[in-house]
Amino acid sequence: MRRLTFSAATAAAVLAVSSTIALGPSTAAAAETDYRTQSLHFAVTVGPAGSQQRCDIVGDLYTPAGVSAQQPAPAILTTNGFGGSAADQTPFAQLYASKGYVVLSYSGLGFGGSGCKITLDDPDYDGLAASQLVSFLGGAPGIAFTDAEHTDPLPALDYVLHDAVDHRGLAQRHDPRVGMWGGSYGGQIQFAVASIDARVDALNPQITWNDLSYSLGPNNAASTSADPAGTPGATKLTWAGAFSALGVFNGVQYAQQDPQRLIGCPNFADFVCPALVAGGTTGYLRTEDVAKLRHASVASYLPRITIPVLLVQGEVDTLFNLNESIATYQALRRQHTPVALLWRYNGHSGGVPSAAGAAYEASRVQAWFDHYLKGADVSTGPGFAYYQDWSGATATAPSYPVGKPHRLYLSGDELVSSGVRPGSQSFTTPPAGVPSTLGGLDVVGSQVDVPQDLPDVNLPGTFASWTGAPLTAPLTVVGTPTLDVQVSAPTAALTQAGGPGGQLVLFAKLYDVGTDGVAQLINGLVAPIRISDVTRSTHITLPGIAHRFAAGHRIALYLAGGDANHRGGQLAAPVTVSTGSSGQVLTLPVR
């Protein structure tokens, strides 16, 4: 069964399991008295020059017993996932306060009692707000208050460990030794702060995005032709709809404290509402909306991230799939930023890890902070680790990638390693973006108990498929499968020059077919593709997986014309996929 909220609740659940393992029930109970908690309001100024505004942020400060100006402690700053509040981080804050860290947990802009609108972790807004909280932790006065009216200031903190210089080697006022922790929306904010504030020392972003325009409107295809502008993908209708409703609800809930947040696009940055309408209507994101979403994404400012980063991503995640973490990890490695990558089981779409898997993640997080914030002589672990849902254990490697290419060729209606035979399959994509699959809705699985792998039924005449022979031994795939395919779509060939609305949209999917013949869509993952030029071969990068196909199981590949969770193409288009050459190939990274 799978159950998850949009916030960092999954990470908190893992933490609850692992902290019990690490501390033991009696120790964990005793630790509750090892810190004190104070609820506060913070006066911050956000926005670019010329359009700045004041906001009230609510948060809870956890102070370990025994810390003082003479015995200072490092700090951790944390905030909620989308739709959450400071309370979501309570288990983490309690645990790390008991371990000797000063923890400040706050509600992000637009959420959980904090004022101003949701700005999608934009560095100019969310990043700037959190930077002022860093100043508070560093002893700056006039930021924290005991009341919402900001009339009763809290004395400046003097018990957070200070750094003589920031990570650039420059001396700064109010420079605390501080790291950040959080998941999803509370993961991306860490990059936003670090990109503008050199005082932050270490990050642990979990299940978050690399490029929000990919997250909400992915195109997993790259044409061999030059496409400098980038072809838009297919919008995620269910996730976008759920997030917009959740954001507006938060705005209405706290409108009495901040009525300005309902002016224009309710509780969102002004561009969000028209972007939602356009994306839902056309099925793709407009160029100007892509630019706004990328501005709020680490992909657009990665060179400014130079401090140690422990990336954690969920394998069962149809919102921010493993490809997002791979993109961030590889970019950070190329610029020699200290980084490690951990794939855990649970993400936005479900997954419950074993106790051992949860404990492994917790140990890695603690070692990361102990090493980089406390200066402890502990190992921060291997460069890459991934959860094995077939065993409940976590495997490790010095770095990612780890898989070797295993090629399966499209042959008639089969997947074969050799002996390709000619054949063809034809289908028609439905018009007006109508879904052609019957299966689980991504966002439903994140909110209520549903089976982990609902049947994914593709309607006859709307897909092509290829299935391999039963495996004689288990096959472990770790990484991103790829598909090189040439399709024939004469109608799309005539309309594609008119822009995205006339281009062919397909959905590539990888299945594990059991000995009973039931095909399970692996972790519910789908690769939407919008092909800019159907006269050329297309290279498709499917969402990353860590999956073992058992002996006797078969591997199946589908190309479908529609999907229940995405807006498909605008026009009905006949499609034929012919086989008989080695150019039509599925490549699996096998370990």
Side-chain angles (χ1 to χ4, degrees):
M1 307 294 282
R2 56 183 179 183
R3 181 178 180 83
L4 187 69
T5 66
F6 296 136
S7 68
T10 302
V14 172
L15 210 60
V17 173
S18 54
S19 62
T20 301
I21 295 169
L23 299 175
S26 59
T27 307
E32 293 179 4
T33 62
D34 292 344
Y35 58 86
R36 64 181 185 274
T37 306
Q38 185 175 14
S39 295
L40 297 169
H41 290 261
F42 301 89
V44 300
T45 302
V46 302
S51 59
Q52 292 184 324
Q53 56 185 305
R54 295 279 285 179
C55 306
D56 174 55
I57 286 180
V58 297
D60 298 314
L61 180 66
Y62 297 77
T63 303
V67 299
S68 64
Q70 292 72 39
Q71 293 183 310
I76 297 176
L77 182 64
T78 180
T79 188
N80 53 277
F82 198 95
S85 70
D88 295 339
Q89 285 70 251
T90 298
F92 173 88
Q94 291 175 336
L95 176 63
Y96 272 78
S98 71
K99 293 177 180 293
Y101 288 89
V102 177
V103 181
L104 175 56
S105 175
Y106 72 97
S107 296
L109 298 178
F111 294 114
S114 288
C116 293
K117 290 188 173 188
I118 299 166
T119 47
L120 305 179
D121 281 337
D122 190 308
D124 293 339
Y125 292 87
D126 302 272
L128 190 57
S131 177
Q132 290 161 80
L133 302 185
V134 172
S135 294
F136 160 73
L137 290 171
I143 298 174
F145 300 82
T146 62
D147 62 322
E149 294 73 29
H150 304 157
T151 61
D152 184 21
L154 188 77
L157 294 192
D158 62 358
Y159 52 74
V160 173
L161 188 66
H162 276 65
D163 285 326
V165 295
D166 64 25
H167 63 81
R168 301 168 303 178
L170 302 178
Q172 289 203 54
R173 294 187 66 197
H174 312 305
D175 185 359
R177 181 77 56 81
V178 61
M180 293 190 70
W181 177 90
S184 191
Y185 200 79
Q188 189 68 199
I189 182 60
Q190 300 175 42
F191 293 124
V193 183
S195 73
I196 64 170
D197 195 330
R199 296 173 299 172
V200 180
D201 298 293
L203 308 179
N204 176 219
Q206 303 184 0
I207 58 173
T208 195
W209 65 89
N210 168 265
D211 180 350
L212 196 53
S213 71
Y214 168 80
S215 311
L216 300 179
N219 186 7
N220 288 60
S223 173
T224 55
S225 60
D227 188 15
T231 301
T235 51
K236 292 180 180 176
L237 291 181
T238 53
W239 278 118
F243 279 131
S244 59
L246 192 59
V248 171
F249 174 78
N250 269 263
V252 172
Q253 184 179 10
Y254 296 102
Q256 186 173 355
Q257 293 97 312
D258 183 11
Q260 296 296 315
R261 66 203 298 173
L262 296 183
I263 296 176
C265 184
N267 207 32
F268 282 98
D270 289 342
F271 86 93
V272 173
C273 287
L276 285 167
V277 173
T281 302
T282 65
Y284 58 88
L285 298 171
R286 300 174 300 182
T287 301
E288 59 267 33
D289 297 327
V290 169
K292 292 280 191 180
L293 293 171
R294 286 183 176 164
H295 184 262
S297 302
V298 66
S300 68
Y301 52 79
L302 269 163
R304 303 205 298 270
I305 307 300
T306 58
I307 58 175
V309 179
L310 173 59
L311 280 169
V312 177
Q313 206 76 2
E315 295 170 3
V316 187
D317 202 323
T318 60
L319 178 60
F320 305 135
N321 62 42
L322 296 179
N323 298 23
E324 307 255 21
S325 66
I326 294 170
T328 303
Y329 168 81
Q330 292 183 328
L332 291 176
R333 272 180 59 88
R334 284 194 298 270
Q335 66 189 35
H336 306 294
T337 296
V339 61
L341 177 61
L342 190 162
W343 289 351
R344 72 185 191 201
Y345 191 43
N346 47 309
H348 288 86
S349 305
V352 178
S354 65
Y360 178 82
E361 179 187 346
S363 69
R364 290 292 303 274
V365 173
Q366 181 173 342
W368 198 260
F369 286 139
D370 284 354
H371 179 77
Y372 288 110
L373 300 183
K374 288 186 174 180
D377 185 17
V378 295
S379 171
T380 57
F384 177 56
Y386 60 94
Y387 182 78
Q388 302 174 122
D389 67 335
W390 56 93
S391 69
T394 301
T396 64
S399 62
Y400 177 89
V402 295
K404 296 181 179 179
H406 176 74
R407 294 180 178 85
L408 295 171
Y409 300 95
L410 280 58
S411 176
D413 60 358
E414 300 176 325
L415 292 173
V416 300
S417 57
S418 62
V420 179
R421 62 181 176 85
S424 66
Q425 296 186 55
S426 297
F427 62 95
T428 301
T429 64
V434 175
S436 61
T437 60
L438 301 175
L441 296 178
D442 288 342
V443 72
V444 173
S446 74
Q447 288 293 289
V448 298
D449 288 329
V450 295
Q452 178 70 38
D453 294 302
L454 284 173
D456 183 67
V457 180
N458 297 272
L459 299 180
T462 65
F463 69 94
S465 66
W466 299 265
T467 304
L471 295 169
T472 58
L475 186 74
T476 302
V477 178
V478 181
T480 53
T482 62
L483 173 64
D484 291 280
V485 65
Q486 171 74 63
V487 303
S488 173
T491 302
L494 296 175
T495 60
Q496 63 188 15
Q503 293 168 348
L504 180 66
V505 176
L506 300 175
F507 300 88
K509 302 184 282 187
L510 194 62
Y511 292 79
D512 185 331
V513 183
T515 55
D516 56 1
V518 176
Q520 298 286 359
L521 179 61
I522 298 173
N523 291 337
L525 296 167
V526 176
I529 57 173
R530 187 180 298 269
I531 303 177
S532 60
D533 187 355
V534 295
T535 67
R536 297 176 179 268
S537 178
T538 298
H539 181 75
I540 303 166
T541 302
L542 279 75
I545 58 174
H547 182 79
R548 172 167 289 182
F549 294 88
H553 285 214
R554 293 176 292 159
I555 300 168
L557 170 72
Y558 279 58
L559 273 181
D563 181 72
N565 293 293
H566 297 80
R567 176 67 156 78
Q570 296 181 14
L571 305 176
V575 179
T576 299
V577 183
S578 299
T579 64
S581 73
S582 60
Q584 310 278 64
V585 58
L586 171 68
T587 304
L588 303 175
V590 172
R591 190 175 195 202

